[in-house]
Amino acid sequence: MAFTAAKKNFETSKEIGLYIRKYWQDIYRAREEGKKICWVTGLAPMELLIAADIVPVLPENYNAFCAAKQMGPELCEEAEARGYSMDVCSYGRLHLGTMFSGKGVYGALPEPDFLFCTRNVCSTHSKWWSAAAAHLGKPLFTLDVPQVGKQVEPHQAKYFVSQVKEFLKYCGSVTGREVTENRLMEVLERSARFGDIWNEIKEYRKRVPCPISSSDIFGNMFLAVTMPGSQIAVDLIGKLRDEVAEKVKHNQGVIPHEKFRLMWDNIAIWYNLGLMNYLEDRGAVSTIETYTCFTGWGERLDLRKGPYDSLVHKYMSGYLNIDLAVKIDLMKKIVDDFKINGVLLFSNRSCKSYSIGQYDIKAALEKKGVPSLIFEADMVDSRVYSEATIKNRLDTFLEIL
Ligand code: SF4
């Protein structure tokens, strides 16, 4: 099977690609420099760790990187050989595989001083983090986030904020330095700035032709995931926004003749991002993704609410923590806002939390007259990906459109 990386259509995407390599090298140097390290789950409030001067290490991010380098199956098998079933989320298997075997693009991740897990996207995270913490004999802090219905209730927000404060105290006890409110605000202001720019780019993607597609956005979401609140993230995303704005000014799209505008639902298929270019070669542009724009990453922080409450919306009401009915309404709105002709619902074998409800979403979209396609694969375990079947189904779907 010929898996490929996505083409980078922007100079800043190339710069971000180079920065990612440097980022990982810095991570491996952090301990020598006397810094504290925390293994943290995706969609945890990264700003808190940055404010505490603790180096956040995201195994999920490293997983995507290892998968892009075609190491997914080998690393998942390391965990399977130790009793983890293939039914366990492959992010969990891959990371535990690196931890057990020491293998990975750069080997195993540097050992953390403690682990931090949030319960705002799935139940896998807490089991996975417990297994890692037990293996390493390191402390684990879990931030419990209740499932939100239509909106966050005041008592839910209060519960969340009380744990955020407790966590900051805990971080202070790890570093020996208190995290002041001023320091937290400084980081949150940068995060809010990042969110504003990320959203400006999202707004530009509503334009016809679409100036930037999933092929660039999936690679660049690293900044939103890993380092909201850092100056480098603000600088790089600002450069990308300027490039996108320039394209819009000249009415340039991702491809010369945009025939179909698609929405991508679910995580990226990290080992074969070139699939986006396969679509583009056929006149179809993946214009927007639920994953990068509606799960919480890049969300605007409303600092008028104060430092702690500003985090509530971003980290409590993302796409994976809300009711199905709310998701369906959101999907319909995205279709209208981004002038979507068809929706690609990637049923991800690993992420039940993301994939459950896709048949209901499909039915609701059909009622609205929007065709959609459900296809199965896995985000990092390429053993359950059938290139011929998926391309066949995509071709047929484009013919229907
Ligand atoms: S189950 Fe889904 S949300 Fe949870 S860790 Fe796996 S991919 Fe992420």
Side-chain angles (χ1 to χ4, degrees):
M1 247 179 284
F3 294 137
T4 52
K7 280 184 213 150
K8 293 188 191 307
N9 296 305
F10 292 82
E11 285 308 310
T12 314
S13 297
K14 293 174 196 157
E15 197 178 335
I16 293 170
L18 292 175
Y19 177 74
I20 293 174
R21 284 171 193 281
K22 179 185 169 320
Y23 166 88
W24 283 111
Q25 284 156 9
D26 289 349
I27 290 286
Y28 281 88
R29 269 200 301 269
R31 182 151 320 278
E32 291 161 31
E33 292 167 0
K35 293 180 183 151
K36 300 289 181 192
I37 295 175
C38 170
W39 282 4
V40 55
T41 48
L43 273 164
M46 218 60 65
E47 292 90 345
L48 305 179
L49 291 163
I50 293 176
D53 287 320
I54 293 172
V55 178
V57 174
L58 270 106
E60 280 149 285
N61 213 271
Y62 191 53
N63 288 346
F65 190 35
C66 290
K69 299 289 176 198
Q70 310 306 328
M71 294 189 75
E74 177 189 352
L75 295 169
C76 286
E77 279 166 11
E78 290 290 348
E80 288 157 23
R82 289 159 176 90
Y84 288 87
S85 154
M86 263 188 97
D87 291 326
V88 171
C89 164
S90 56
Y91 269 174
R93 275 181 287 137
L94 196 156
H95 168 240
L96 293 174
T98 65
M99 186 183 73
F100 293 137
S101 68
K103 295 180 191 166
V105 177
Y106 297 125
L109 289 170
E111 270 204 23
D113 293 280
F114 68 101
L115 295 87
F116 178 35
C117 164
T118 48
R119 286 166 51 96
N120 55 352
V121 290
C122 68
S123 49
T124 301
H125 272 151
S126 38
K127 289 287 176 197
W128 163 13
W129 251 239
S130 299
H135 179 78
L136 299 169
K138 300 285 180 180
L140 166 64
F141 191 106
T142 298
L143 195 151
D144 187 24
V145 182
Q147 171 89 28
V148 169
K150 282 193 170 36
Q151 59 191 27
V152 182
E153 300 295 337
H155 68 278
Q156 294 177 321
K158 200 171 154 200
Y159 178 52
F160 173 85
V161 165
S162 70
Q163 294 174 81
V164 165
K165 289 181 179 169
E166 202 187 318
F167 180 65
L168 283 171
K169 270 198 199 134
Y170 177 73
C171 289
S173 73
V174 172
T175 59
R177 289 185 304 277
E178 185 197 349
V179 186
T180 62
E181 225 170 271
N182 280 350
R183 168 66 181 153
L184 179 61
M185 273 310 269
E186 196 187 297
V187 173
L188 293 176
E189 272 163 16
R190 283 198 294 264
S191 176
R193 181 78 196 112
F194 180 92
D196 284 342
I197 304 174
W198 186 259
N199 279 293
E200 273 181 66
I201 295 175
K202 184 169 82 182
E203 285 302 305
Y204 279 135
R205 300 177 74 187
K206 291 179 180 169
R207 302 285 291 246
V208 181
C210 177
I212 181 165
S213 70
S214 307
S215 55
D216 278 274
I217 291 291
F218 273 136
N220 293 335
M221 70 179 291
F222 169 86
L223 300 174
V225 172
T226 310
M227 46 183 47
S230 70
Q231 188 56 46
I232 181 80
V234 175
D235 294 344
L236 286 170
I237 204 69
K239 279 174 104 170
L240 183 65
R241 183 265 327 270
D242 293 347
E243 269 199 83
V244 174
E246 198 55 28
K247 276 204 161 203
V248 169
K249 202 165 118 192
H250 296 100
N251 207 28
Q252 283 172 355
V254 177
I255 50 173
H257 305 292
E258 180 180 288
K259 285 199 272 182
F260 313 114
R261 295 169 65 86
L262 306 177
M263 183 207 305
W264 179 274
D265 183 48
N266 219 305
I267 301 172
I269 298 180
W270 294 115
Y271 47 87
N272 195 20
L273 282 177
L275 199 58
M276 298 301 156
N277 304 129
Y278 180 83
L279 292 166
E280 287 165 11
D281 290 345
R282 282 148 188 80
V285 176
S286 178
T287 307
I288 189 74
E289 317 78 30
T290 50
Y291 188 49
T292 62
C293 289
F294 299 95
T295 49
W297 285 310
E299 190 66 48
R300 283 188 163 95
L301 293 180
D302 185 355
L303 297 178
R304 289 168 307 179
K305 294 182 173 163
Y308 308 107
D309 284 282
S310 73
L311 295 166
V312 167
H313 179 65
K314 175 171 180 176
Y315 290 108
M316 293 191 75
S317 48
Y319 191 73
L320 297 189
N321 203 41
I322 51 174
D323 274 0
L324 179 59
V326 188
K327 276 187 195 173
I328 289 175
D329 287 347
L330 178 61
M331 284 294 237
K332 290 187 198 162
K333 184 167 169 5
I334 302 172
V335 163
D336 290 339
D337 289 351
F338 291 81
K339 303 167 194 76
I340 296 298
N341 308 111
V343 179
L344 299 176
L345 297 159
F346 158 35
S347 175
N348 187 341
R349 195 180 184 282
S350 274
C351 193
K352 280 80 179 170
S353 177
Y354 217 133
S355 309
I356 201 158
Q358 281 177 322
Y359 279 92
D360 298 278
I361 291 170
K362 184 177 174 53
L365 290 172
E366 256 160 34
K367 226 173 178 180
K368 190 179 161 59
V370 182
S372 60
L373 172 72
I374 297 187
F375 62 96
E376 275 193 41
D378 188 275
M379 70 233 164
V380 293
D381 189 349
S382 54
R383 290 172 299 173
V384 290
Y385 179 90
S386 167
E387 177 90 329
T389 310
I390 288 179
K391 284 189 170 168
N392 239 326
R393 299 203 57 207
L394 288 174
D395 289 346
T396 311
F397 185 61
L398 294 183
E399 266 181 43
I400 292 167
L401 291 185

